[in-house]
Amino acid sequence: MNWIMGKLGLSVTQINPFDLELEYGMAKADADALRENDFTKTLCAQYDIIIVGDTIPDARAILQDLQLQTPHCGAAHVVLEITARFDAFVEEGPDYDDYRATFRDLYRRDEKRLHVVANNPFEMFHAFQNGVRFRRWRVLRPTGYSDVRALDNVDSTLAAFRGVWPKLDELFTQFNLPIHSLDYHYGGPLTLAKYKAYVDMPYQVSTMKLYENLAAGVVMMVPSAALWRELNLNGTQEYTLCWSDVEPLELGEYARLIDFYHDDLSPYIYYFDSFDMLRAMLSPESGWTDAGNKNVRETAPLWALREREKTLRGWQDVMFEAGALVL
């Protein structure tokens, strides 16, 4: 977000919600307390535009304030950037019903100070499925920007994988896959681009890393939609944050709702239907090369650059609508 706002000539002050010492999925009582303690009054008096990203329930106190006849945030505009479900971590039951009721009330009022951005198409689908609508919303993909410096000493004959999933590690060993397991500080997309390929197991419908990798021309290999579904259903992939949301979907819906399988991105991602197929692609004896197939090292960065420009223009429109003077 700092990079985007910098491009638009706007300054950003970052506020860490962890400083509030509250649990994920802010409850109504906690949101009420923040307003009673003048948190919303102080915040909205300091800033013209408040952007809440990722965990949208962190904005609950502000959203509830907008419902009041004399809100603390009467002048400030609020932008919600949804990246992982608008209702992430909100507990089912009366509190969840109240949370949805807040959005429905703001929709009925046509609250013009509320703007919504989703970074992937599944977010709006999920909201609509749960009875929530937004007046002013748009889908703006991640920019793919990264300033992480590449690491040296990369074995370009190997594929790379990053994740702590014992069952998958067992499969990689079982199929004798030439894969190097990366640690947390793996060197970002420019490092991944040096490997023969990067094997990615989606844990969300979309990730910032996905777009960073496309921008850097990383050769990404991802299980096909059918295989990914199978790995989640049989418990092989133990860590998929979005699975309960995605499970009801038909496979045919993945291509329009899940970025890893979206029609726009699929030309720049390789899919494997089995681990035998993955081994055949990665084996040195196979002679498989990206240049002889999709050539994503060359084509993906060009596509990502075009998408980045669309995203910048979209954020320019959002901030202009919110009253900012943008470049």
Side-chain angles (χ1 to χ4, degrees):
M1 187 55 66
N2 281 337
W3 184 81
I4 291 174
M5 294 301 138
K7 287 289 185 181
L8 300 181
L10 301 173
S11 60
V12 178
T13 300
Q14 287 186 298
I15 299 174
N16 191 337
F18 284 121
D19 293 341
L20 300 176
E21 298 182 349
L22 297 174
E23 298 292 330
Y24 280 126
M26 186 183 294
K28 183 181 186 302
D30 291 329
D32 289 339
L34 288 176
R35 189 178 191 280
E36 291 167 5
N37 294 333
D38 284 346
F39 170 80
T40 52
K41 183 177 182 179
T42 302
L43 182 69
C44 294
Q46 288 182 298
Y47 303 104
D48 299 316
I49 302 171
I50 300 167
I51 302 173
V52 180
D54 198 23
T55 48
I56 301 306
D58 288 340
R60 191 165 185 173
I62 301 170
L63 297 173
Q64 290 178 185
D65 179 82
L66 291 178
Q67 293 180 274
L68 303 176
Q69 287 190 344
T70 55
H72 290 157
C73 296
H77 282 249
V78 180
V79 181
L80 305 181
E81 187 192 18
I82 310 175
T83 66
R85 309 315 84 77
F86 82 99
D87 53 1
F89 305 109
V90 179
E91 291 188 7
E92 290 287 346
D95 198 65
Y96 182 76
D97 294 338
D98 182 86
Y99 182 65
R100 287 192 302 177
T102 296
F103 284 104
R104 290 169 178 166
D105 181 52
L106 294 173
Y107 180 85
R108 284 193 297 269
R109 295 177 182 214
D110 190 15
E111 177 52 67
K112 293 179 172 56
R113 290 165 296 172
L114 180 62
H115 313 263
V116 176
V117 174
N119 80 341
N120 69 85
F122 187 78
E123 304 303 342
M124 291 296 103
F125 174 82
H126 175 79
F128 297 164
Q129 289 293 101
N130 284 275
V132 170
R133 301 288 189 272
F134 305 105
R135 296 282 184 183
R136 278 158 291 281
W137 65 272
R138 45 174 58 83
V139 176
L140 299 176
R141 286 174 162 140
T143 64
Y145 171 77
S146 173
D147 58 2
V148 179
R149 296 181 60 181
L151 302 181
D152 297 323
N153 303 319
V154 170
D155 187 344
S156 61
T157 66
L158 297 176
F161 173 75
R162 178 175 172 265
V164 187
W165 299 321
K167 292 182 181 179
L168 286 173
D169 289 337
E170 290 174 10
L171 277 175
F172 293 161
T173 301
Q174 176 186 335
F175 285 89
N176 194 27
L177 298 174
I179 291 180
H180 173 61
S181 183
L182 302 171
D183 61 21
Y184 185 79
H185 299 287
Y186 62 91
L190 294 179
T191 300
L192 296 183
K194 294 182 178 184
Y195 285 96
K196 180 176 182 178
Y198 173 65
V199 179
D200 201 354
M201 295 289 176
Y203 64 90
Q204 268 288 10
V205 295
S206 182
T207 64
M208 307 296 181
K209 181 179 67 178
L210 170 61
Y211 285 84
E212 292 172 5
N213 289 347
L214 290 166
V218 175
V219 178
M220 287 184 286
M221 295 184 175
V222 173
S224 66
L227 179 58
W228 186 68
R229 186 175 184 84
E230 178 186 335
L231 292 172
N232 279 283
L233 287 173
N234 67 23
T236 300
Q237 185 164 337
E238 307 110 308
Y239 183 67
T240 304
L241 293 176
C242 64
W243 183 243
S244 61
D245 301 324
V246 170
E247 187 174 2
L249 294 181
E250 299 291 336
L251 279 177
E253 295 180 288
Y254 284 31
R256 69 180 181 88
L257 293 174
I258 301 179
D259 272 357
F260 281 92
Y261 304 102
H262 198 281
D263 286 337
D264 290 349
L265 284 75
S266 60
Y268 312 104
I269 299 173
Y270 291 97
Y271 301 101
F272 55 92
D273 294 319
S274 68
F275 287 94
D276 280 324
M277 180 178 177
L278 178 61
R279 180 177 58 189
M281 295 168 73
L282 295 179
S283 171
E285 292 78 23
S286 69
W288 184 94
T289 64
D290 169 55
N293 289 275
K294 293 185 177 183
N295 194 27
V296 300
R297 293 190 191 277
E298 300 293 333
T299 59
L302 297 176
W303 177 86
L305 183 60
R306 293 192 296 270
E307 289 300 311
R308 179 180 295 173
E309 289 302 314
K310 292 178 186 177
T311 294
L312 281 173
R313 289 197 299 272
W315 274 106
Q316 185 180 47
D317 291 341
V318 172
M319 302 310 287
F320 179 78
E321 291 168 9
L325 297 176
V326 296
L327 295 178

